[in-house]
Amino acid sequence: AVVSTQSTGGVDYSEAQCVVGRRRLEGTSAAQNTSIHQGSIYELPVPDHSVSCIFGVMIVHFADMDRLYTEIDRVLKPGGLVLFHGKGSLTPVDSADKEKTVVSGKELAERMVYVKNKLFKNLFHDRTAFNPLKYSNLPELYPGPLREQWTESACVPVSAVINYAMTWSAALKYSEQQGITLPQVRDLIATHLTAGDSSLEDASVSTQLDHFTWMSKKPP
């Protein structure tokens, strides 16, 4: 995302992901001053030194950082901020607290691998499955960048894991490929993840999600 004082713009290489973003904006107050473009992060659709903040989510493991840094420096105002956030996959794990969790995290994780590798085969970008945390030690763009890495642990209903899988652009691509609706895609994912037992959607499972943030400020 690129942010000025009056507006916010989003850029993604995937038109499918842009469609998801535009749908989520519909009917919200943010829709009035937010635009989403399919395009290249190396050719941002804004003038030189016009942007107050650049926020990149899940891009550093895809990007040519030298080219990206050149473009960031072109569009960012003096004193502007650049912030990257990356995360691993939401991963179900086994928990020692059997009173809070009902579903085996290990079994659910194995079913998620099936959905990714079999159901959505060839629908992910080549490097989508790479763990972006491997790329968190970025070179400096401006002096003194701030870095932070942490793991988020939570006990969630299985339905939250299903909904997480629906955030993958592969889910939209699959619906278009098969000629079915997104609710039908969700039902299919739910069938795989619950092994056909819909009552398990309300059951609890332990999960982990790794994050990192990287922030740098352009000198005035």
Side-chain angles (χ1 to χ4, degrees):
V2 290
V3 182
S4 70
T5 53
Q6 288 84 27
S7 63
T8 301
V11 177
D12 198 290
Y13 77 93
S14 166
E15 179 59 27
Q17 197 66 18
C18 290
V19 169
V20 172
R22 294 182 192 119
R23 287 177 179 172
R24 290 180 177 175
L25 275 174
E26 290 176 359
T28 69
S29 58
Q32 298 179 0
N33 66 345
T34 302
S35 58
I36 296 177
H37 308 271
Q38 189 278 326
S40 170
I41 57 175
Y42 311 118
E43 298 176 359
L44 297 173
V46 293
D48 294 356
H49 312 305
S50 62
V51 172
S52 303
C53 179
I54 293 176
F55 180 40
V57 180
M58 300 290 286
I59 65 170
V60 299
H61 51 315
F62 298 132
D64 177 333
M65 296 308 297
D66 289 338
R67 290 181 65 195
L68 181 57
Y69 279 0
T70 297
E71 183 66 351
I72 288 173
D73 197 51
R74 178 186 74 81
V75 304
L76 201 61
K77 294 178 179 179
L81 294 175
V82 55
L83 174 66
F84 295 127
H85 173 242
K87 60 185 179 181
S89 296
L90 181 71
T91 304
V93 294
D94 283 334
S95 172
D97 191 346
K98 302 300 182 181
E99 293 184 1
K100 290 185 178 180
T101 59
V102 176
V103 176
S104 164
K106 181 180 178 181
E107 290 182 8
L108 189 57
E110 291 172 351
R111 294 171 190 166
M112 288 185 73
V113 170
Y114 175 87
V115 170
K116 283 185 176 181
N117 296 342
K118 300 295 185 180
L119 187 65
F120 292 161
K121 185 178 181 180
N122 298 326
L123 295 179
F124 285 100
H125 186 282
D126 288 347
R127 300 183 71 184
T128 297
F130 286 13
N131 185 347
L133 271 71
K134 296 178 182 177
Y135 301 82
S136 61
N137 189 26
L138 299 174
E140 290 188 2
L141 171 57
Y142 306 118
L146 301 176
R147 297 180 174 90
E148 185 174 358
Q149 188 166 326
W150 73 98
T151 297
E152 175 186 0
S153 298
C155 185
V156 302
V158 172
S159 60
V161 180
I162 297 168
N163 293 337
Y164 165 74
M166 285 298 296
T167 67
W168 299 333
S169 60
L172 179 60
K173 293 175 185 177
Y174 185 82
S175 75
E176 294 171 345
Q177 181 191 75
Q178 300 297 319
I180 60 177
T181 66
L182 286 173
Q184 287 174 316
V185 175
R186 189 194 183 282
D187 288 344
L188 192 57
I189 294 171
T191 297
H192 284 292
L193 295 188
T194 64
D197 184 354
S198 60
S199 68
L200 289 181
E201 283 206 37
D202 295 326
S204 297
V205 64
S206 184
T207 62
Q208 289 185 345
L209 184 61
D210 294 325
H211 297 261
F212 83 86
T213 55
W214 181 100
M215 184 177 72
S216 191
K217 184 174 183 179
K218 187 174 184 177

